[in-house]
Every structure is written in structure tokens, then in C-alpha cells.
Amino acid sequence: MASSYRVAIVGAGPAGYFAAQALQNSQTDELKFAIDMIEKLPTPWGLVRSGVAPDHPKIKTVAKVFEKIATTEGFRLFANVELGKDITVDELEEMYDAVVIATGTSQGKKLGIPGEELPGSFSAADFVPWYNAHPDYVDIEIALDCETAVVIGAGNVAMDVARMLALEPKELDTTDTAEHALEQLHNSAIRKVHICGRRGPEHAAFTSPELRELPKLEHTDVHIDEHQINQAMERASAEGELPKDLKSNLDAMQAIAGAEKKGLERAMYFHFLATPLEIRGDGKVEEVLFGINKVEAGKVISTNETFTIKCGIVISAIGYEAVEIPGLPYEKGKIQNTDGKISGRSSYVVGWAKRGPSGVIGTNKSDSTEVMKLLVENLGTPKSPAELEKKLSERGSLIVTQNQWEKINAHEISKGEPLGKPRVKLVQRNEMLGIK
Ligand code: NAP
């Protein structure tokens, strides 16, 4: 007879779905899995819904894979259920043969500089879910009434944020940008966006496909100092043959520097070797003070020189940390684990909650697969059937099942159709819960 195990996966983002897929793929005649996926929001897909930039619809097509996983026999969705509030890790461990935590890293790291709390200073961890219709971020007041924005960080999130602010908003009309954000962007006074990295171009965390898109922007000129890129190229080449990815990045930056500038009203400016020291302003953001760095013997050091950029909004995109869930051990913004196993528990962790906020969506597939291999190896005797549904209904939880989510999904898509958009996202929980 087949051994049938019950696994709870908490977090319906890429890492959670790829963990479910790995378990589904490891099934044999002798080994079966029933998977319950628990998600805090009434909607699944995690960063594919609330992180990926709306002007990157191709990246979101991975949701089709998630839906295939979700409609495979033995899979159930329990959305609108929050771990730590509606159900605890201990309770899940009692009910399931194994628990997989895939809750990501949703809060932005702090710069830790004076002025960071001034009105007009935001984290990308708030700004990105705001424009992506995450219900917890809808009410954030983001004024786009100034001419200049500063984005801090030289990674792909900084790039997404800068592009969203610098694009001609008409280009977003056929995307799934939250309606409140689209309206604000249409009324935005921002015309100049400065994107600032503290190290050199050779150290930037941008990836080249994202850089290569920039010269193609029709309504935004993108400026990078060619001399700075050439110097970076020389420094990096002096250390030996350039790794492929680095060469591709620096080539892409050179292409941006060399691209014809059309004198457009909208512009993006890249600054490197610029450490933010202070955000200044009288009751709101007015300028950012940067320390100028240089690279010496491969090290980034301060020159003690500074410069300022006058601006009305600052968005820091410098990485993320996990929000702590009671009962789980944390260290350096992620869950303590050994190869994905949480010590002393029957729980595992995958994705950004496991390894920190790095890698693209696909990175989670191999990562989750490895952790699920370990989970399968460690399985003991199957437990008796779990009663999650009963426990949650006793507590008055309003569970969004896969079937209900499919109705929400269909509703959003049908609202988008006449507008030429992939969907119009619902933003209020009660609206989502009201779709029957
Ligand atoms: P990231 O790639 O780690 O970049 C973070 C940036 O913040 C780095 O440039 C880092 O500089 C800088 N930084 C950190 N602390 C700082 C400080 N105190 N002051 C100034 N700068 C600071 O992180 P991310 O941009 O949040 O992206 C997370 C992951 O998601 C990445 O793997 C990214 O590629 C991925 N992602 C992919 C896409 C896409 O495929 N289109 C889109 C978005 C995100 P140092 O290097 O000097 O530390």
C-alpha cells in the first residue's frame, strides 16, 4: 500500500509552488503527497503578483505553471490564512508530516542614515507592492508631486522602481499596474530619476537583460557616464578575464552611455560610487547627501568628498528581510536553517526566507527541489489525517480555496479585457472575499 503524507506549505509564492511541484514530481506508486498551501493574502502567486514590475508581463507567465501545480490532485489552497495569527507553526507540525515555510522576506532593509524617516522617504518594500495592488499597501500616501526622485541601490528592484517612475505612464495603461498607482503616475510631476549605487559599475547587481531594455525606452533618455564605465571596465579587466555576466553588464552600460539622447522631458541618471549619507529636508525630503567613493586595489573607499541631489522623493531598494513569525528562529533577516531544515522541528524553509533575497524566480525551482529531496529523505511514519479546515472554521477564518481564487482570477481578467489589460487587480480584501 502507498504511504500517503500530508505536507503544509506556507506562502503561495514561487518558492512555495516549486516546493509543491517537487513533492508532486517525487510521487511514486508507493509514495503520495497531499499538499495544503497556506497563504496570508486572499490571492496566491506572491512576488509574481505583488513584486514583478507591471511592464514585465512575460515574467508573470510562470503563473501558468503555478496554476497547473494547484490543480493537480492532492493540492488544496488555504488563502487568507495567516501563519502566527490564524494558525501556529506548532499546530501545523502536529497536523502534518512536514511543514514548508516559504514566506519570503517582505520588509525593506533600512539605510540607517539621518532623515530616513522624513515624509517622502520610502522603501521599495512599500513602493513596489503599492503599485502592484497589494491590499496592505494600498493606503500608503505616495506623493509624486516633485520633479526629481532618487532611488538608492544598484539592483534589479532599484531598476524596476526607477523605470516605473521614469516611464511615460501611457506605457503602463495596458499593464496590470494598480489603478490607484496608475492614476498617480499619470499625474506625476517626476521627470528626472537618479539611481545611485554605492560601489562601482563593475559591482552593480543589475542584470544585463534589464540594462539592455533601457536604451529602447521611447519616452525616457537614460544617462550613464561613459568615462565611469570605461574606468570600471579597465579596473575589472586588470584583474583578469572578465566573467561573462560582468562583461555583459558593462557592455550594456556602455551601450546606454553611447545611445543617442533625444532631449526628452523624462530622464534617468545612473550614479555610481555614491554612498547615501543623509536625507535632508525641513519636514519632508528635499535633498540627499552622498559621499563620493573610489576604487583602490579592488576596494571601495571613501574620498571624503560629497555631493547632493535635490529631490522630493527617495526610494531605497537595498534588499529585504523576513518579517519574523512567532516560533521560528531568525538570523540576519532570514530563518536559521541547515540546507533548508529548521533545527529541532519537522519544518523546512525555502526561497528568500531560507537564503535571503537573491536570485530570480527560476532560482527557487532548483532550491526548493533540493530542500524537498531532504524532506522526503527524512519522512517517518505518516500521521493521521489533518484537520486544518475544521480548526480554521472554528476560529472563524474565511478561507479562500483554489476554486474561489479561480473566481477572483477570472473576475480580474474579465475586468481587464475591455481595457486591453491582462487584468484589473482587486485591491481590497473585502472585494476579493466578496467574489462568489
Ligand atoms: P540586490 O540585487 O541584492 O541589490 C541590492 C542593492 O542595494 C545593491 O546594489 C547593494 O549594494 C545596495 N545596497 C545594500 N545596502 C546598501 C546601503 N546601505 N546603502 C546603499 N546601497 C546599498 O537586491 P534587489 O534589487 O532587492 O533584488 C533582489 C533579487 O531579486 C535579486 O536577485 C534581483 O536580481 C531579483 N530581481 C530580479 C528582477 C528581474 O529579473 N527583472 C527584478 C527585481 C528583482 P552593494 O552591492 O554594495 O551591497
mmCIF file of all heavy atoms in Angstrom, residues 54 129-134 175-185 425 427:
data_model
loop_
_atom_site.group_PDB
_atom_site.id
_atom_site.type_symbol
_atom_site.label_atom_id
_atom_site.label_comp_id
_atom_site.label_asym_id
_atom_site.label_seq_id
_atom_site.Cartn_x
_atom_site.Cartn_y
_atom_site.Cartn_z
ATOM 1 N N PRO A 54 4.995 45.684 -13.455
ATOM 2 C CA PRO A 54 3.872 45.504 -14.383
ATOM 3 C C PRO A 54 4.269 45.564 -15.862
ATOM 4 O O PRO A 54 3.582 44.983 -16.700
ATOM 5 C CB PRO A 54 2.941 46.686 -14.053
ATOM 6 C CG PRO A 54 3.343 47.150 -12.705
ATOM 7 C CD PRO A 54 4.784 46.800 -12.527
ATOM 8 N N PRO A 129 4.887 46.984 -3.703
ATOM 9 C CA PRO A 129 3.524 46.430 -3.515
ATOM 10 C C PRO A 129 2.429 47.479 -3.673
ATOM 11 O O PRO A 129 1.303 47.142 -4.024
ATOM 12 C CB PRO A 129 3.547 45.853 -2.095
ATOM 13 C CG PRO A 129 4.774 46.341 -1.456
ATOM 14 C CD PRO A 129 5.729 46.763 -2.522
ATOM 15 N N TRP A 130 2.767 48.752 -3.465
ATOM 16 C CA TRP A 130 1.774 49.828 -3.685
ATOM 17 C C TRP A 130 1.366 49.867 -5.151
ATOM 18 O O TRP A 130 0.176 49.866 -5.486
ATOM 19 C CB TRP A 130 2.370 51.173 -3.244
ATOM 20 C CG TRP A 130 1.529 52.358 -3.600
ATOM 21 C CD1 TRP A 130 0.393 52.764 -2.966
ATOM 22 C CD2 TRP A 130 1.749 53.278 -4.677
ATOM 23 N NE1 TRP A 130 -0.109 53.890 -3.588
ATOM 24 C CE2 TRP A 130 0.706 54.221 -4.639
ATOM 25 C CE3 TRP A 130 2.729 53.401 -5.665
ATOM 26 C CZ2 TRP A 130 0.610 55.274 -5.554
ATOM 27 C CZ3 TRP A 130 2.636 54.437 -6.576
ATOM 28 C CH2 TRP A 130 1.582 55.368 -6.513
ATOM 29 N N TYR A 131 2.364 49.854 -6.067
ATOM 30 C CA TYR A 131 1.967 49.946 -7.480
ATOM 31 C C TYR A 131 1.471 48.599 -8.022
ATOM 32 O O TYR A 131 0.916 48.531 -9.106
ATOM 33 C CB TYR A 131 3.037 50.595 -8.371
ATOM 34 C CG TYR A 131 4.381 49.908 -8.571
ATOM 35 C CD1 TYR A 131 4.504 48.656 -9.157
ATOM 36 C CD2 TYR A 131 5.564 50.585 -8.241
ATOM 37 C CE1 TYR A 131 5.736 48.077 -9.369
ATOM 38 C CE2 TYR A 131 6.816 50.010 -8.450
ATOM 39 C CZ TYR A 131 6.896 48.749 -9.020
ATOM 40 O OH TYR A 131 8.126 48.172 -9.240
ATOM 41 N N ASN A 132 1.689 47.534 -7.222
ATOM 42 C CA ASN A 132 1.223 46.218 -7.654
ATOM 43 C C ASN A 132 -0.074 45.774 -6.979
ATOM 44 O O ASN A 132 -0.433 44.602 -7.038
ATOM 45 C CB ASN A 132 2.310 45.173 -7.402
ATOM 46 C CG ASN A 132 3.291 45.097 -8.559
ATOM 47 O OD1 ASN A 132 2.928 45.277 -9.708
ATOM 48 N ND2 ASN A 132 4.554 44.847 -8.244
ATOM 49 N N ALA A 133 -0.754 46.712 -6.295
ATOM 50 C CA ALA A 133 -2.103 46.434 -5.746
ATOM 51 C C ALA A 133 -2.132 45.459 -4.574
ATOM 52 O O ALA A 133 -3.119 44.775 -4.362
ATOM 53 C CB ALA A 133 -3.054 45.950 -6.847
ATOM 54 N N HIS A 134 -1.053 45.369 -3.809
ATOM 55 C CA HIS A 134 -1.076 44.538 -2.599
ATOM 56 C C HIS A 134 -2.006 45.215 -1.595
ATOM 57 O O HIS A 134 -1.822 46.387 -1.276
ATOM 58 C CB HIS A 134 0.353 44.444 -2.045
ATOM 59 C CG HIS A 134 0.519 43.485 -0.914
ATOM 60 N ND1 HIS A 134 -0.211 43.567 0.243
ATOM 61 C CD2 HIS A 134 1.352 42.424 -0.761
ATOM 62 C CE1 HIS A 134 0.166 42.596 1.061
ATOM 63 N NE2 HIS A 134 1.105 41.894 0.482
ATOM 64 N N THR A 175 -1.037 47.545 -18.794
ATOM 65 C CA THR A 175 -0.447 46.599 -17.841
ATOM 66 C C THR A 175 -1.412 46.411 -16.668
ATOM 67 O O THR A 175 -2.455 47.067 -16.607
ATOM 68 C CB THR A 175 0.885 47.132 -17.287
ATOM 69 O OG1 THR A 175 0.606 48.259 -16.443
ATOM 70 C CG2 THR A 175 1.833 47.549 -18.403
ATOM 71 N N ASP A 176 -0.997 45.566 -15.712
ATOM 72 C CA ASP A 176 -1.847 45.359 -14.538
ATOM 73 C C ASP A 176 -1.402 46.220 -13.350
ATOM 74 O O ASP A 176 -1.670 45.873 -12.203
ATOM 75 C CB ASP A 176 -1.907 43.874 -14.163
ATOM 76 C CG ASP A 176 -0.556 43.299 -13.776
ATOM 77 O OD1 ASP A 176 0.443 44.052 -13.759
ATOM 78 O OD2 ASP A 176 -0.488 42.100 -13.474
ATOM 79 N N THR A 177 -0.774 47.351 -13.614
ATOM 80 C CA THR A 177 -0.452 48.313 -12.551
ATOM 81 C C THR A 177 -1.740 48.631 -11.778
ATOM 82 O O THR A 177 -2.797 48.813 -12.395
ATOM 83 C CB THR A 177 0.064 49.645 -13.171
ATOM 84 O OG1 THR A 177 1.128 49.338 -14.069
ATOM 85 C CG2 THR A 177 0.540 50.621 -12.108
ATOM 86 N N ALA A 178 -1.629 48.720 -10.445
ATOM 87 C CA ALA A 178 -2.814 49.040 -9.639
ATOM 88 C C ALA A 178 -3.442 50.327 -10.143
ATOM 89 O O ALA A 178 -2.720 51.284 -10.474
ATOM 90 C CB ALA A 178 -2.402 49.200 -8.177
ATOM 91 N N GLU A 179 -4.754 50.363 -10.166
ATOM 92 C CA GLU A 179 -5.423 51.550 -10.726
ATOM 93 C C GLU A 179 -5.078 52.827 -9.955
ATOM 94 O O GLU A 179 -4.879 53.874 -10.551
ATOM 95 C CB GLU A 179 -6.927 51.317 -10.754
ATOM 96 C CG GLU A 179 -7.290 50.304 -11.835
ATOM 97 C CD GLU A 179 -8.774 50.191 -12.038
ATOM 98 O OE1 GLU A 179 -9.475 49.924 -11.056
ATOM 99 O OE2 GLU A 179 -9.211 50.387 -13.176
ATOM 100 N N HIS A 180 -4.996 52.708 -8.610
ATOM 101 C CA HIS A 180 -4.664 53.915 -7.839
ATOM 102 C C HIS A 180 -3.267 54.419 -8.191
ATOM 103 O O HIS A 180 -3.029 55.623 -8.263
ATOM 104 C CB HIS A 180 -4.792 53.662 -6.320
ATOM 105 C CG HIS A 180 -3.924 52.543 -5.816
ATOM 106 N ND1 HIS A 180 -4.392 51.283 -5.594
ATOM 107 C CD2 HIS A 180 -2.609 52.496 -5.527
ATOM 108 C CE1 HIS A 180 -3.416 50.507 -5.157
ATOM 109 N NE2 HIS A 180 -2.315 51.228 -5.123
ATOM 110 N N ALA A 181 -2.342 53.484 -8.430
ATOM 111 C CA ALA A 181 -0.968 53.880 -8.750
ATOM 112 C C ALA A 181 -0.893 54.459 -10.162
ATOM 113 O O ALA A 181 -0.200 55.460 -10.404
ATOM 114 C CB ALA A 181 -0.040 52.680 -8.614
ATOM 115 N N LEU A 182 -1.643 53.850 -11.076
ATOM 116 C CA LEU A 182 -1.614 54.331 -12.458
ATOM 117 C C LEU A 182 -2.125 55.773 -12.523
ATOM 118 O O LEU A 182 -1.538 56.629 -13.210
ATOM 119 C CB LEU A 182 -2.475 53.405 -13.333
ATOM 120 C CG LEU A 182 -2.353 53.606 -14.829
ATOM 121 C CD1 LEU A 182 -0.911 53.460 -15.304
ATOM 122 C CD2 LEU A 182 -3.239 52.610 -15.578
ATOM 123 N N GLU A 183 -3.165 56.026 -11.764
ATOM 124 C CA GLU A 183 -3.721 57.385 -11.745
ATOM 125 C C GLU A 183 -2.670 58.363 -11.202
ATOM 126 O O GLU A 183 -2.423 59.419 -11.775
ATOM 127 C CB GLU A 183 -4.977 57.392 -10.872
ATOM 128 C CG GLU A 183 -5.766 58.679 -11.003
ATOM 129 C CD GLU A 183 -6.926 58.724 -10.026
ATOM 130 O OE1 GLU A 183 -7.461 57.660 -9.666
ATOM 131 O OE2 GLU A 183 -7.281 59.856 -9.622
ATOM 132 N N GLN A 184 -2.026 57.974 -10.119
ATOM 133 C CA GLN A 184 -0.981 58.833 -9.533
ATOM 134 C C GLN A 184 0.171 59.037 -10.515
ATOM 135 O O GLN A 184 0.712 60.123 -10.625
ATOM 136 C CB GLN A 184 -0.407 58.164 -8.278
ATOM 137 C CG GLN A 184 -1.301 58.190 -7.094
ATOM 138 C CD GLN A 184 -0.797 59.241 -6.116
ATOM 139 O OE1 GLN A 184 -1.038 60.411 -6.323
ATOM 140 N NE2 GLN A 184 -0.116 58.816 -5.086
ATOM 141 N N LEU A 185 0.541 57.968 -11.205
ATOM 142 C CA LEU A 185 1.663 58.078 -12.144
ATOM 143 C C LEU A 185 1.295 58.993 -13.320
ATOM 144 O O LEU A 185 2.129 59.749 -13.811
ATOM 145 C CB LEU A 185 2.105 56.693 -12.631
ATOM 146 C CG LEU A 185 2.822 55.850 -11.558
ATOM 147 C CD1 LEU A 185 2.872 54.376 -11.947
ATOM 148 C CD2 LEU A 185 4.240 56.376 -11.300
ATOM 149 N N LYS A 425 -6.516 44.426 -11.106
ATOM 150 C CA LYS A 425 -6.424 43.758 -9.802
ATOM 151 C C LYS A 425 -7.376 44.376 -8.789
ATOM 152 O O LYS A 425 -7.468 45.609 -8.694
ATOM 153 C CB LYS A 425 -5.004 43.878 -9.268
ATOM 154 C CG LYS A 425 -3.998 43.009 -9.986
ATOM 155 C CD LYS A 425 -2.642 43.231 -9.345
ATOM 156 C CE LYS A 425 -1.539 42.552 -10.082
ATOM 157 N NZ LYS A 425 -0.227 43.060 -9.670
ATOM 158 N N VAL A 427 -8.086 45.408 -5.064
ATOM 159 C CA VAL A 427 -7.101 45.829 -4.070
ATOM 160 C C VAL A 427 -7.583 45.678 -2.632
ATOM 161 O O VAL A 427 -6.784 45.683 -1.712
ATOM 162 C CB VAL A 427 -6.642 47.291 -4.280
ATOM 163 C CG1 VAL A 427 -5.725 47.398 -5.466
ATOM 164 C CG2 VAL A 427 -7.808 48.237 -4.414
#
